[in-house]
């Protein structure tokens, strides 16, 4: 919300220092985003008068002007503008002046004659045709009719640029501050002042409103209050300069007096208003109803919209003439031919307006205010203010009477002021008198310890809200720093600690964490080559997705991590090591919300291969104190290379999958990089993590080693052989290591030789050769039984 300091001073007179003001308002709870001086880009531009004009002797289009800027010496300035005449009052940019856009003006010579500055057009001063109606578009701005245009005066003061504008961030619970009056009230209380808005006064006298207009509200739940007045003999013309200046300072473009009045009232009172051309209302009737199924309407932005029965519209006896709370219709727009106007000031249901605005893709100043919930009592004051401005500007004649259909619950909220409790809650000692003074300035009605909350303070509902008001205006900086009064107990969360441990390990292993959205598009499943009947395609859909590419909750994190890896590869990042600790969402039959499961995904490419990534997984398991991992070939996962993919398990429980992404999947991500990924189920990792690391003393007795070469079928894996060796040797085994794989004609087709070193040790005694040979024999017997492997001859 933009606040003009000049407008504020007119409502709450005070010697404001802009920089001190924003600090004080911040301390009283109004967050300031920016502070801007409107004329910051203009320097050394003053008002001057053209006293003489002559043709340039060496040009047929240049004029040599003598300009009076209120000094004894007149300035010679050369211009090519053709709209000037002697006596015109104009903006004069002096030597070494500055204009918007960083333009600097210096004196110099034009075709041999000296020019001591420049006469300015409105464009060069940062204005538009709406700010200075009637000004010459391709000439110099003339200020002949402006009483403020005194010779030598700073042009910023004449054009309304001598104003500071404060941009406030208004929280959703304070819609009353989306208005100049609301911010004026907050400003007044911040400085210990009282502000009470003036009551608008309307003379009327142009006939009875009942004779020309009827209003019917068919949906009182969606329109708690509808207020309307009628203005006859309307004159469409530009607004006066003071109104244009205030609108421009608050970011609103002036258009004409009628439209500007509705915008002005919206800014001043925070109540959106709309004006209808009465001649366009069939039957002289307004009906507030739901849109009809299939009804269409073109709004003021000239865009057609298809409406539905969940949307509230303003209609005449035959058609919709406006989308309630969002935008009026082009079929009732105010034009230069308008002679009779209906002013609408209504209150609409916040949820209804928000849903309508979102469905139509229309976000307006009005809808933004209605979405936050507005004071139903404000509609009458706003429409009265609009009619007061009509009479003040001579823009028309107001009919007697007001149509005011009020279905709102206007019962005021009454709260009890508990001084002792507020002091305990805040940790301060504020007197009852000071608290009552604060609430009195804020507009609360006082009756002993009973406080009647003003209608515009929709956010004050309970005791803590009263305490907040006391804290804001007593001063946050006056609240002493104290320790928490009471015992504190920290309950460790094992799952959170485990997540942090995973991040520490992966960071130590050289991996960088990525964070992606939890929602993806259905096409992502095609990119990773999921089968059409894959259960992973059964997803939870978003009701209001940002796009089709973000329309479902992910059931696998593979597309997300591949997006990141492929993007890095396509941006010529030669090596990448990334991981993401996130969630997947599986729909549950009969449940409204999906089941959320945590998954760890790892991706790497560049100077890495299958075994390097396998080593990372093993290092992660070792750091977590897990039992030995088991890897088994996986050839049926369509997302992975069929010859470079493995399932990961521990003690028979599956943890996840790892391997190289299928080349066709990489092609779908427009990359030729060989990307290796790992998908691990975090709850399964947590279930199999080890406890505290146990100290083991150094071995006192020597180890015994045996090398064996086994001949087996090609289909037998190293993991199968190693498993049999471990089971056969038993507790004596210290390590088993594969050191050779050999194939030859002597061994036979479809067979291979695999050589292992078996290291054995007993922590209580020295092993004998007989002990070692017996252990190896048990292993050989088990190998032959389970895998058909025999000692190589």
């Amino acid at each position: 919300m933009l606040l003009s300091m000049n407008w504020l001073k007119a409502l709450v007179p005070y010697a404001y220092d802009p920089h001190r003001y924003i600090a004080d308002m911040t301390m009283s709870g109004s967050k300031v985003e920016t502070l801007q001086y409107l004329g910051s880009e203009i320097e050394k531009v003053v008002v001057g008068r053209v006293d003489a004009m002559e043709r340039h002797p060496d040009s047929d289009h240049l004029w040599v002007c003598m300009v009076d800027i209120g000094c004894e010496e007149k300035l010679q300035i050369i211009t090519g503008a053709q709209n000037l005449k002697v006596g015109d009052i104009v903006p004069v940019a002096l030597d070494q002046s500055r204009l918007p856009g960083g333009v600097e003006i210096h004196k110099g010579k034009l075709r041999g004659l000296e020019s001591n500055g420049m006469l300015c057009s409105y464009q060069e001063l940062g204005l538009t045709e709406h700010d200075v109606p009637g000004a010459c578009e391709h000439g110099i701005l003339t200020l002949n009719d402006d009483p403020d245009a005194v010779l030598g005066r700073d042009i910023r003061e004449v054009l309304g640029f001598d104003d500071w504008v404060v941009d406030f961030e208004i929280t959703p619970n304070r819609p009353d501050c989306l208005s100049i009056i609301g911010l004026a009230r907050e400003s007044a209380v911040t400085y210990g002042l009282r502000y009470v808005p003036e009551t608008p006064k309307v003379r009327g006298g142009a006939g009875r409103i009942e004779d020309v207009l009827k209003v019917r509200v068919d949906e009182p739940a969606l329109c708690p209050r509808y207020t309307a007045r009628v203005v006859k003999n309307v004159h469409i013309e530009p607004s006066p300069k003071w109104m244009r200046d205030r609108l421009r300072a608050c970011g609103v473009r002036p258009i004409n007096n009628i439209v500007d009045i509705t915008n002005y009232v919206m800014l001043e009172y925070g109540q959106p208003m709309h004006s209808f051309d009465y001649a366009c209302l069939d039957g002289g009737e307004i009906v507030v109803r739901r849109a009809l199924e299939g009804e269409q309407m073109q709004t003021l932005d000239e865009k057609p919209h298809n409406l539905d029965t969940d949307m509230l519209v303003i209609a005449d006896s035959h058609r919709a003439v406006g989308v309630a709370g969002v935008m009026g219709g082009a079929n009732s727009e105010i034009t230069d031919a308008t002679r009779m106007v209906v002013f609408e000031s209504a209150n609409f249901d916040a949820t209804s307006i928000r849903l309508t605005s979102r469905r139509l893709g229309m976000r307006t100043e009005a809808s933004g205010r209605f979405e936050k919930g507005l004071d139903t009592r404000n509609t009458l004051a706003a429409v009265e203010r609009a009619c007061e401005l009509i009479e003040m500007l001579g823009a028309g004649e107001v009919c007697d009477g007001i149509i005011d259909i009020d279905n709102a619950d206007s019962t005021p909220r009454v709260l009890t002021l508990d001084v002792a409790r507020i002091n305990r809650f805040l940790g301060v000692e504020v007197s009852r008198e000071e608290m009552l003074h604060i609430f009195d300035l804020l507009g609360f009605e006082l009756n002993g310890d009973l406080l009647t909350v003003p209608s515009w303070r929709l956010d004050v509902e309970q005791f803590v809200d009263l305490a907040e008001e006391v804290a804001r205006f007593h001063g946050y900086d006056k609240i002493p720093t104290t320790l928490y009064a009471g015992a504190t107990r920290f309950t460790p969360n094992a799952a959170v600690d485990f997540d942090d441990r995973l991040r520490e390990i992966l960071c130590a292993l050289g991996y960088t964490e990525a964070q992606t959205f939890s929602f993806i598009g259905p096409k992502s499943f095609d990119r990773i080559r999921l089968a059409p009947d894959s259960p992973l395609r059964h997803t939870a859909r978003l009701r209001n997705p940002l796009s089709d590419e973000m329309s479902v909750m992910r059931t696998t994190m593979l597309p997300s991590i591949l997006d990141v890896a492929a993007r890095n590869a396509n941006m010529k990042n030669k090596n990448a090591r990334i991981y993401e600790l996130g969630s997947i969402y599986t729909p549950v039959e009969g449940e409204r919300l999906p089941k959320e499961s945590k998954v760890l995904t790892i991706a790497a490419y560049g100077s890495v291969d299958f075994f390097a990534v396998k080593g990372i997984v093993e290092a992660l398991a070792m750091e977590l104190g897990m039992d030995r991992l088991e890897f088994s070939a996986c050839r049926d996962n369509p997302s992975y290379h069929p010859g470079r993919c493995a399932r990961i398990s521990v003690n028979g429980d599956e943890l996840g999958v790892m391997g190289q992404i299928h080349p066709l999947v990489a092609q779908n991500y427009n990359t030729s990089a060989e990307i290796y990924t790992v998908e691990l189920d975090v709850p399964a990792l947590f279930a199999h993590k080890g406890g505290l690391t146990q100290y083991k003393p150094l071995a006192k007795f020597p180890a015994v080693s045996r090398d064996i070469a086994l001949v087996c079928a090609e289909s037998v894996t190293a993991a199968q052989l190693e498993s049999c060796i471990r089971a056969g040797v038993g507790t004596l085994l210290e390590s088993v290591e594969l050191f050779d794989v050999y194939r030859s004609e002597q061994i036979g087709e479809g067979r291979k030789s695999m050589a292992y070193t078996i290291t054995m040790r007993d922590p209580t005694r020295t092993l004998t050769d007989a002990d070692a040979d017996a252990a190896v024999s048990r292993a050989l017997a088990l190998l032959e039984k389970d895998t058909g492997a025999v000692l190589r001859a």
Side-chain angles (χ1 to χ4, degrees), residues 64-91:
V64 180
C65 304
M66 298 305 295
V67 181
D68 185 357
I69 59 170
C71 301
E72 292 184 2
E73 184 177 353
K74 296 182 181 180
L75 300 179
Q76 177 174 292
I77 297 177
I78 299 175
T79 179
Q82 303 301 311
N83 68 314
L84 288 180
K85 63 181 184 300
V86 174
D88 279 343
I89 307 297
V90 294

Side-chain angles (χ1 to χ4, degrees), residues 103-123:
V103 177
E104 295 185 0
I105 304 300
H106 298 278
K107 65 180 180 180
K109 290 187 177 182
L110 284 177
R111 298 196 178 185
L113 295 183
E114 187 175 75
S115 182
N116 295 293
M118 185 182 78
L119 307 184
C120 302
S121 67
Y122 67 79
Q123 296 98 330

Side-chain angles (χ1 to χ4, degrees), residues 304-379:
H305 296 280
N306 295 318
L307 310 178
D308 60 51
T309 56
D310 290 332
M311 300 178 182
L312 192 69
V313 298
I314 311 300
D316 58 20
S317 57
H318 296 98
R319 58 183 178 167
V321 294
V323 181
V326 181
M327 186 179 290
N331 52 15
S332 60
E333 182 181 6
I334 301 297
T335 66
D336 292 341
T338 299
R339 292 296 173 262
M340 193 167 174
V341 168
V342 176
F343 277 132
E344 168 193 278
S345 178
N347 187 278
F348 301 111
D349 177 71
T351 303
S352 173
I353 299 304
R354 181 168 59 252
L355 294 176
T356 298
S357 174
R358 183 174 298 175
R359 287 178 184 175
L360 296 179
M362 300 172 65
R363 179 78 177 179
T364 62
E365 286 285 340
S367 67
R369 284 171 165 79
F370 280 122
E371 287 174 7
K372 295 174 177 61
L374 298 180
D375 177 15
T376 57
R377 298 187 184 183
N378 205 25
T379 62

Side-chain angles (χ1 to χ4, degrees), residues 528 556-563 601 637 639-640 661 665 669 677-679:
I528 62 172
T556 170
M557 288 177 57
L558 190 59
S560 301
I561 202 74
L562 286 179
D563 270 329
T601 54
N637 192 320
S639 301
Y640 289 88
I661 290 300
V665 173
Y669 282 87
T677 63
V678 183
E679 300 175 75

Side-chain angles (χ1 to χ4, degrees), residues 540-724:
R541 294 192 63 84
L542 300 179
R543 288 184 177 178
N544 296 297
L546 296 175
S547 68
D548 188 60
E549 291 300 312
M550 294 183 176
S551 60
V552 299
M553 303 301 291
R554 63 188 177 193
T555 54
T556 170
M557 288 177 57
L558 190 59
S560 301
I561 202 74
L562 286 179
D563 270 329
V564 179
R567 187 179 304 114
N568 277 273
N570 293 333
M571 294 181 71
K572 308 304 181 184
N573 187 356
K574 296 182 179 179
N575 294 278
R577 307 286 188 273
I578 54 178
Y579 76 92
E580 180 176 9
L581 190 59
S583 296
I584 59 174
Y585 304 86
T586 307
V588 180
E589 189 69 29
E591 297 290 335
R592 188 172 66 89
L593 296 177
K595 176 186 175 183
E596 182 177 352
S597 305
K598 188 157 288 186
V599 175
L600 172 65
T601 54
I602 300 172
Y605 68 83
S607 55
V608 67
D609 59 13
F610 179 90
F611 297 103
V613 176
K614 178 174 176 285
I616 291 295
V617 177
E618 291 174 325
L620 176 65
M622 182 182 68
E623 290 295 326
L624 294 175
M626 298 174 63
D627 292 339
R628 188 177 61 88
L629 296 182
E630 300 164 3
F631 297 85
S632 58
C634 175
R635 296 182 175 86
D636 58 357
N637 192 320
S639 301
Y640 289 88
H641 191 299
R644 300 175 186 174
C645 178
R647 290 189 180 90
I648 307 168
S649 58
V650 58
N651 298 331
D653 293 337
E654 188 168 327
L655 299 181
V657 65
M658 64 157 290
Q660 181 187 337
I661 290 300
H662 198 289
L664 295 179
V665 173
Q667 183 178 331
N668 291 338
Y669 282 87
N670 299 316
T671 180
S672 59
E674 293 186 357
I675 302 175
Y676 292 86
T677 63
V678 183
E679 300 175 75
L680 294 172
D681 182 60
V682 173
L685 289 176
F686 182 80
H688 288 280
K689 70 180 179 64
L692 295 175
T693 302
Q694 299 293 322
Y695 167 74
K696 290 184 179 180
L698 295 175
K700 297 180 180 179
F701 301 97
V704 177
S705 297
R706 293 286 188 272
D707 291 344
I708 61 174
L710 303 170
V711 177
C712 60
E714 281 282 2
S715 60
V716 178
T717 65
Q720 289 175 301
L721 297 177
E722 184 178 329
S723 178
C724 290

